[in-house]
């Protein structure tokens, strides 16, 4: 059966550890694995703009011996003149994997249902699982415990819009790794009930936990990782959200919040807006590992592709 990666829980906890281990190997020896030798082609669709995702997948596919086929909006019939199922049936006769950065999660699910090659979610309105893989690689590098998967038992606190794709993936991906995840968000911007329920059910297997709070100070207490995202997610309407601060002003990651943690590192998937979701002194300070995090998109995605193609 073809394996896909559409959301964070598409990897079991043990499989997640395998992918993280592969990422570590590939970071140390970038050209040691060539599952796309040929070169085989990977179709990479972009319905949304991108810097890190575009470069990391293009470079990663090439380093794995393959050829990335980048397809921008308006350059294919996908979803307009041709249905997603028909597109999937055409692509899987020509390419070895499909990567799609899009809007609706349902489109990715349709693609995977009709494709016989791996389909990877490079971002949707609901989840951003490739980013979380990179973040977990980064946390292991800087705060790994050296036991088990190196992540279990660590505390990661997310600040800002708790109802967006990043918060959903932090909740699921972090708990899948056995971490204690805290979502600090204002009322009205907290994770959907089904995400909370899924994360907590998963935690009963992994030992991870999910806490949702409106108290930013409590969320930072003894945390190992503080993380945030832009206050208005990519491709989403900003109606009702005051980007000058309200209702997220209390949830800006500041030096005060960082001081409450356990010598925490700071993560941000970028692009960042200094003075809004994060203070400049934090993102440009010694605890920030955001550029290691950006680089690790490359290694994590190479590991994911290698793992999917071998399974």
């Amino acid at each position: 059966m073809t394996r896909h990666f559409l959301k964070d829980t598409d990897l079991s906890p043990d499989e997640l550890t395998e992918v993280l281990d592969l990422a570590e190997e590939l970071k140390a020896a970038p050209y040691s694995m060539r599952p796309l030798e040929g070169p085989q082609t990977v179709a990479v669709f972009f319905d949304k703009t991108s810097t890190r995702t575009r470069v990391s997948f293009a470079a990663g596919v090439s380093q794995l011996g393959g050829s990335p086929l980048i397809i921008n909006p308006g350059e294919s019939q996908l979803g307009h003149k041709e249905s997603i199922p028909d597109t999937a049936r055409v692509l899987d006769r020509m390419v070895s994997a499909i990567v799609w950065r899009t809007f609706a999660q349902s489109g990715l699910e349709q693609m995977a249902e009709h494709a016989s090659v791996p389909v990877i979610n490079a971002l949707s309105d609901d989840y951003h699982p490739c980013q979380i893989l990179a973040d977990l690689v980064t946390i292991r590098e800087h705060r790994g415990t050296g036991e088990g998967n190196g992540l279990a038992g660590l505390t990661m606190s997310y600040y800002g819009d708790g109802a967006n794709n990043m918060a959903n993936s932090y909740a699921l991906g972090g708990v899948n790794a056995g971490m204690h995840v805290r979502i600090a968000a204002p009322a009205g911007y907290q994770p959907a009930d089904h995400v909370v329920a899924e994360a907590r059910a998963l935690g009963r297997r992994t030992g991870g936990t999910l806490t949702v709070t409106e108290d930013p100070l409590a969320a930072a207490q003894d945390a190992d990782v503080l993380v945030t995202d832009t206050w208005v997610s990519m491709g989403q309407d900003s109606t009702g959200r005051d980007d000058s601060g309200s209702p997220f002003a209390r949830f800006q990651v500041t030096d005060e919040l960082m001081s409450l943690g356990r010598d925490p590192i700071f993560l941000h998937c970028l692009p960042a807006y200094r003075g809004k979701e994060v203070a400049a002194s934090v993102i440009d300070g010694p605890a920030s590992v955001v550029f290691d995090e950006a680089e690790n998109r490359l290694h994590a995605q190479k590991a994911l592709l290698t793992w999917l193609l071998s399974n």
Side-chain angles (χ1 to χ4, degrees), residues 45 47 71-81 87:
F45 287 89
D47 294 343
I71 305 169
N72 294 309
E75 293 181 349
S76 78
Q77 313 293 356
L78 174 61
H80 302 287
K81 295 182 179 179
T87 300

Side-chain angles (χ1 to χ4, degrees), residues 15 21 23 44 57 61 66 69 73 78 91-92 96 99 106 116 133 149 173 189 192 195 214-215 220 247 249 287 303:
E15 291 169 344
D21 289 344
V44 189
F57 268 111
V61 168
L69 175 61
L78 174 61
L91 288 174
D92 67 21
S96 296
V99 179
S106 58
S116 62
L133 286 182
N149 66 5
Y189 297 92
V195 173
E214 296 179 41
D215 186 342

Side-chain angles (χ1 to χ4, degrees), residues 87-218:
T87 300
R89 294 185 184 104
V90 170
L91 288 174
D92 67 21
R93 293 172 179 239
M94 301 182 186
V95 304
S96 296
I98 300 166
V99 179
W100 193 6
R101 184 178 179 92
T102 189
F103 295 89
Q105 183 74 12
S106 58
L108 284 154
E109 292 167 357
Q110 267 193 294
M111 184 76 80
E113 180 183 354
H114 295 278
S116 62
V117 299
V119 176
I120 294 173
N121 178 359
L123 178 142
S124 72
D125 286 347
D126 290 345
Y127 305 103
H128 197 357
C130 286
Q131 180 64 56
I132 302 309
L133 286 182
D135 288 8
L136 296 179
V137 169
T138 308
I139 295 166
R140 283 218 309 186
E141 285 181 341
H142 291 273
R143 289 293 181 272
T145 61
E147 300 177 3
N149 66 5
L151 296 165
L154 295 176
T155 297
M156 176 169 61
S157 299
Y158 169 89
Y159 287 84
D161 186 350
N164 71 7
N165 50 7
M166 288 303 303
N168 290 344
S169 277
Y170 279 121
L172 296 178
V175 172
N176 201 28
M179 299 180 73
H180 302 299
V181 180
R182 301 169 181 166
I183 304 292
Y189 297 92
Q190 297 187 344
D193 290 345
H194 71 88
V195 173
V196 174
E198 184 176 0
R200 288 177 175 165
L202 181 61
R204 290 192 283 272
R205 293 171 47 209
T206 66
T209 61
L210 175 64
T211 301
V212 180
T213 180
E214 296 179 41
D215 186 342
L217 297 178

Side-chain angles (χ1 to χ4, degrees), residues 50-62:
S50 167
T51 298
R52 280 150 294 278
T53 299
R54 180 184 299 266
V55 175
S56 58
F57 268 111
V61 168
S62 296

Side-chain angles (χ1 to χ4, degrees), residues 10 18 22 41-42 58 101 130 134 143-144 173 178 180 194 204 218 255 269 282 290:
D10 283 343
E18 291 175 13
L22 270 176
T41 300
V42 174
R101 184 178 179 92
C130 286
R143 289 293 181 272
H180 302 299
H194 71 88
R204 290 192 283 272
D255 290 302
C269 65
V282 172
V290 298

Side-chain angles (χ1 to χ4, degrees), residues 237-251:
D237 187 358
S238 61
T239 302
R241 303 185 186 199
D242 181 355
D243 199 36
S244 66
S246 178
F248 298 105
R250 292 193 306 117
F251 298 88

